[in-house]
Amino acid sequence: MHSRTVFFISDGTGITAETFGNAILAQFEFKPRHVRLPFIDTVDKAHQVVRQVNHVAELEGRRPIVFTTLVNVEILQVIEDGCRGMLLDMFGTFVRPLEIELGMKSNHRVGRFSDVSKSKEYHDRIEAINFSLAHDDGQSNRDLEQADVILVGVSRSGKTPTSLYLAMQHGLKAANYPLIPDDFERQQLPAALAAHRKKIFGLTIQPERLAEIRNERRPNSRYAALANCRMEVAEAEAMMRRAGIRWLSTTTKSIEEIATTILQEIRPERLEY
């Protein structure tokens, strides 16, 4: 049962408000109900928001928490005047003090995606996503010279979500290859990767956690058996050590943490914007 309702209100997608708000809420031990209200770009919509927030306040008997990233001052004023929630205006908190410090006005652009589709960065990100999808789970050996990073590891160690995150968030062309029993018998990395060793980064995982994940997919199978998971992880780690490949354990790390570690090792310049 949730203990509080949190609204994320924006005249764009609401992703910025939700991402920033969730980062703050993560500091507190409670489970709120999340309500994202995107594209609040008219005064009429703002009044509807006020009614929705105030209705929740009456039902729950406590103030909802309201994060906003509203550029339009008139729309924001409606919410500030009528909303009975705890209002946290991110642009008011950060943008206006920066205007004073920098001695200039912000462009007051609604949403960070308003003209992004015309940019080279957006095009590159779409290309990276397509590349990562085409090279997921060893599907293709073509064009590996274009890869920014090649992830290797046993099945279900986190390669696919990490590859897609690197592509979507950082525009990296990320391929990934599973290490399988045939590779362990040969005691060598897949032959297609030999020429790209400098781009390879390994992912490993604790066997107990791997068995849990695999059992969700194939319960009571040899694939998910703890003994098999222990064997595969041990062989994969030994192979990566022999090959001199950088690697990390994904057991207790989020996708964001894994991706950031890889960026620090492979493409540190991507951490600068």
Side-chain angles (χ1 to χ4, degrees), residues 154-175:
V154 299
S155 172
R156 312 304 285 182
S157 59
K159 301 184 301 300
T160 294
T162 302
S163 295
L164 291 176
Y165 182 88
L166 287 168
M168 294 174 68
Q169 295 297 320
H170 298 283
L172 261 66
K173 292 181 177 178

Side-chain angles (χ1 to χ4, degrees), residues 53-64:
V53 171
N54 291 350
H55 178 65
V56 169
E58 290 179 10
L59 285 177
E60 297 184 348
R62 59 176 65 189
R63 290 194 301 171

